[in-house]
Amino acid sequence: MRILAKDLKKAAEDGKKDVTLSGWVHRIRELGALSFIVLRDRSGLVQLVLDKKYDALTLESVITVIGEAALNEKAPGGAELRVSSLECLSRAAADLPFQVNGDVTKTGLEAILDNRSLSLRNPAIRAIFKTQATIIEAFCEYLRKQDFTEIKTSKIVSGGTEGGTNLFEVEYFDRKVYLAQSPQCYKQTLVASGLERVFEVAQAYRAEKHDTPRHLNEYVSLDVEMGFIESEKELIELEKGLLAYIFEEVIRKNSAELELWAKNGASAPEPASVSKAPIIPYEEALKIANVESSKKNGARIFDINPDAERYVCDWALREYGIDLVFVNEFPRRHRPFYTYPLDAIRTMSFDALFRGVEITSGGRRQHEYEAQLEALSRFGVKLESMEDYLAIFKYGCPPHGGFAIGLERLTAKIFGLSNVKEASLFPRDRRRVTP
Amino acid sequence: MRILAKDLKKAAEDGKKDVTLSGWVHRIRELGALSFIVLRDRSGLVQLVLDKKYDALTLESVITVIGEAALNEKAPGGAELRVSSLECLSRAAADLPFQVNGDVTKTGLEAILDNRSLSLRNPAIRAIFKTQATIIEAFCEYLRKQDFTEIKTSKIVSGGTEGGTNLFEVEYFDRKVYLAQSPQCYKQTLVASGLERVFEVAQAYRAEKHDTPRHLNEYVSLDVEMGFIESEKELIELEKGLLAYIFEEVIRKNSAELELWAKNGASAPEPASVSKAPIIPYEEALKIANVESSKKNGARIFDINPDAERYVCDWALREYGIDLVFVNEFPRRHRPFYTYPLDAIRTMSFDALFRGVEITSGGRRQHEYEAQLEALSRFGVKLESMEDYLAIFKYGCPPHGGFAIGLERLTAKIFGLSNVKEASLFPRDRRRVTP
């Protein structure tokens, strides 16, 4: 019966003489008549002591060893295995494209992405995705506690709620359909259906041609929608609670993973500090961005663009102790037709900016059939293409709203990664569709 | 502050005079000078008592009411609200396409699917998806406890692991790519990367032209993959534990939902009975199917086809007390090239058949680079198209395997639904791409 590396010390303390370990050959060191192998499994690293008869091994080969567990203060984890038998389950070719047991973070991003089965063997790279799994789990768990229902909706749609641009086209039998940009329409349908509170974790697609460190053409969207709200402020309160819980769980479960990226400033914000994140109306946020910009002799800012996002976060960190800001009341011209108006100019919408980048967009939605018709015509959307969407509002739809958090952006910001692609297992951009 | 229907009795017991409820108008009944409205919210139904001034209401309109909570043994839930003020938040058009408060299960499937925001208001229809959410949650929870890591992998791929047929083509900037049929290649990459144990809940796509009650062109796949196994038997043991836990959670959380489909025989199997599910080699399963078929004067069976799946499940229910069977050792000709051979003819593969339908396919995979090359050439797959796939095995890949459960099929079988589309919120088939 195999045990894990992390349990070897306990086995040594118990005097176990017949211990099996399995994993990858992380490091090999020769010393006189003995070989020392560092073995890596999903739980960590452990030292094996062998005589020379096994010395044909290559780095990264997969082996199973049996031996006696022994305490050794100098070995990682405080114990080692004195190997009596070794079986090579899979021999690794000797031409590794990069050194797995070194500082893989210095390897180029393209090589990391081209060789995921190797790059993820590095504890630092793996740390990103162990933590990402915690983020997903915490997101779902928090919402379930608040009586939200998990949904799974189609990613194949006949048109886009956002207006039909930036859609990937799919050959669907004898017609053209598209990959969904968001589950917007479905979330709203399900709120109206009486589920009232729904969430979904799923891929979303944007056929945007620009290739920036902030964008992916396929990303994981953490989507939320809820009924019976009065304004976007209830959504912001919900997101604050949600983010605080995610940070709490990341700190509880993944402090060791964050530690591996300490040089990048990796950390989750103190959960209690999230409630202090300011809520700033759009016009005020613009002013703040311009004051910050002028201090640094930067250009005049006319919109909450990436520069503004950084400036406003810098300001919030200085003034409120947390680089998380909720900007609300965006002008109608900047938001989709379905956004609920606050007045003739402003909307009940918001973005969440975290460490200099937008991680969330959301708001209250139109829920009145007649107002929706009017908004569609004002935005120049053809009614025929929106029949299914309009049907949501025809037979009783409560006031509602929602938001979506970009999983890769949130992950990247927690780890201090400079490119969001580093936070995607198999990112897709304009050039990359493999592996 | 709004309360939910389920909490009204408590409010009545506490003598609350200022209670707010919000929801949909489920039913209206006139009686002398009074109106009785049954209000529906996400928690259930509750009775409102009003005077006539509110009688312009339509069924399914969304309202908020304030009033005094009072105990009433004859009202659903044992309490009612004596309404002092009512606000209509969204008036429903009077031309409902079907009666929401009746037996919607008698409404045609097309109407149910065309009008999801209405059909889901019926408690029986909603029950399917409340339970489906439990299945997803239990799946994730069980695997996390077994040290599995949740992953999110790309659904946009440059080719198919299953050989390139039945793929939906996507226009991806200036090239053609495809929607993933399964995360097979990615799950294997991540096992080899040292995560060892991974799972994913995500959409999968099959461009199959046939339209049957068993098939969807987009479905949710509950995917599992793990390293360091010797045969498919360890995977079957894992799936037994997983299914037992899913059934346990469904019984614990969704007995009321199952009750609504009692006439269809809706139920989750007794969790303890799952361990008794037999494991039958393919050749033996064929013999059993033929014996069962001959008893019913059925046709001779040459393959585990849908008829055979039903016969084998009938047999298991009779012999082992559970209509769940694991058929293993499928012949090599019936399985993909990456399946690990047991001998020259058979493979270390299995299907799980539940209540007459295949809900899982899985097996141990090839993990040796040289054997993979040989298998690819025997199956006639071009090596150039498989470079990324082969890379998984080049630098140390443990023996491994996995399986996938079809979420909609499992849900449909628990509820006794005759068509798998009933277990998909927004199903996609050859004709349907809306809503």
Side-chain angles (χ1 to χ4, degrees), chain A residues 21 23 48 72 88 110 120 184 299 313 315 322 328 352 367 396 407 433:
Chain A
L21 289 168
L48 313 177
N72 177 351
C88 183
E110 296 302 307
L120 280 161
Q184 184 63 30
C313 284
W315 166 87
I322 181 163
N328 66 350
H367 71 287
L407 175 64
V433 294

Side-chain angles (χ1 to χ4, degrees), chain A residues 118-139:
Chain A
L118 280 178
S119 57
L120 280 161
R121 295 181 190 189
N122 185 273
I125 305 277
R126 194 190 323 185
I128 299 166
F129 298 98
K130 293 296 287 184
T131 306
Q132 191 165 72
T134 301
I135 295 172
I136 297 172
E137 181 182 2
F139 174 84

Side-chain angles (χ1 to χ4, degrees), chain A residues 168-169 429-434, chain B residues 158 169-178:
Chain A
F168 287 116
E169 196 175 277
D429 61 27
R430 195 165 170 186
R431 290 164 298 107
R432 178 178 288 281
V433 294
T434 57
Chain B
S158 58
E169 196 176 279
V170 180
E171 297 278 345
Y172 192 83
F173 302 113
D174 48 0
R175 68 176 113 178
K176 306 275 186 202
V177 296
Y178 304 94

Side-chain angles (χ1 to χ4, degrees), chain B residues 161-163 335-339 366 372 375-376 379 381 386 389:
Chain B
T161 353
E162 317 290 324
R335 301 303 257 202
F337 71 88
Y338 52 73
T339 314
Q366 269 294 1
Q372 201 76 261
L376 282 169
F379 275 73
V381 185
M386 301 303 287
Y389 188 69

Side-chain angles (χ1 to χ4, degrees), chain A residues 121 154 175 218 395 431, chain B residues 121 154 175 218 395 431:
Chain A
R121 295 181 190 189
S154 180
R175 70 177 110 179
E218 179 187 42
Y395 300 109
R431 290 164 298 107
Chain B
R121 296 181 190 190
S154 179
R175 68 176 113 178
E218 179 187 41
Y395 299 109
R431 289 163 298 108

Side-chain angles (χ1 to χ4, degrees), chain A residues 227-382:
Chain A
F228 300 103
I229 61 164
E230 298 202 344
S231 80
E232 79 285 3
K233 298 209 171 89
E234 289 143 279
L235 301 169
I236 292 172
E237 282 314 301
L238 176 67
E239 186 171 357
K240 282 186 174 184
L242 186 52
L243 287 175
Y245 186 71
I246 289 171
F247 296 148
E248 186 182 320
E249 287 293 286
V250 164
I251 291 166
R252 188 169 72 82
K253 294 182 177 167
N254 301 105
S255 286
E257 278 79 15
L258 294 174
E259 190 54 44
L260 296 174
W261 290 83
K263 65 181 187 309
N264 281 41
S267 73
E270 176 57 40
S273 70
V274 174
S275 64
K276 292 184 285 180
I279 303 172
I280 310 292
Y282 176 88
E283 290 297 339
E284 195 182 322
L286 262 191
K287 280 180 205 156
I288 292 165
N290 275 303
V291 170
E292 297 290 311
S293 179
S294 67
K295 279 189 206 167
K296 296 183 181 170
N297 296 314
R300 177 133 186 84
I301 286 172
F302 299 95
D303 193 2
I304 303 295
N305 58 19
D307 280 340
E309 290 173 8
R310 277 186 291 270
Y311 287 134
V312 174
C313 284
D314 288 348
W315 166 87
L317 181 60
R318 205 173 61 230
E319 300 291 324
Y320 294 87
I322 181 163
D323 35 10
L324 173 67
V325 184
F326 294 85
V327 177
N328 66 350
E329 300 181 4
F330 277 76
R332 293 175 81 158
R333 67 179 186 282
H334 285 324
R335 300 304 256 201
F337 71 89
Y338 52 73
T339 313
Y340 201 86
L342 172 62
D343 54 30
I345 293 167
R346 298 172 298 168
T347 58
M348 291 191 175
S349 61
F350 75 99
D351 278 2
L353 312 179
F354 176 50
R355 295 183 176 168
V357 75
E358 180 231 303
I359 56 162
T360 291
S361 198
R364 182 175 165 187
R365 328 293 188 185
Q366 269 294 1
H367 71 287
E368 292 143 335
Y369 186 77
E370 297 299 331
Q372 200 77 259
L373 281 180
E374 192 267 325
L376 281 170
S377 85
R378 189 157 29 78
F379 275 74
V381 185
K382 285 186 192 147

Side-chain angles (χ1 to χ4, degrees), chain A residues 138-148 197 199 245 248-249, chain B residues 42 137:
Chain A
F139 174 84
C140 297
E141 197 171 58
Y142 185 83
L143 291 170
R144 285 193 193 106
K145 280 182 203 154
Q146 311 281 327
D147 217 9
F148 282 75
R197 300 174 164 212
F199 72 92
Y245 186 71
E248 186 182 320
E249 287 293 286
Chain B
R42 70 178 191 271
E137 181 182 2

Side-chain angles (χ1 to χ4, degrees), chain B residues 46-107:
Chain B
V46 76
Q47 179 166 290
L48 313 177
V49 187
L50 310 89
D51 63 34
K52 277 299 176 77
K53 69 182 176 195
Y54 303 115
D55 65 4
L57 275 177
T58 50
L59 287 174
E60 296 305 320
S61 290
V62 178
I63 60 174
T64 281
V65 290
I66 302 175
E68 181 182 346
L71 292 169
N72 177 350
E73 276 182 16
K74 289 177 189 165
E80 63 188 15
L81 191 79
R82 291 169 188 165
V83 173
S84 53
S85 89
L86 179 151
E87 185 190 358
C88 182
L89 302 175
S90 174
R91 192 176 184 281
D95 62 337
L96 294 175
F98 49 80
Q99 193 191 337
V100 171
N101 62 11
D103 186 355
V104 169
T105 61
K106 284 181 184 150
T107 305

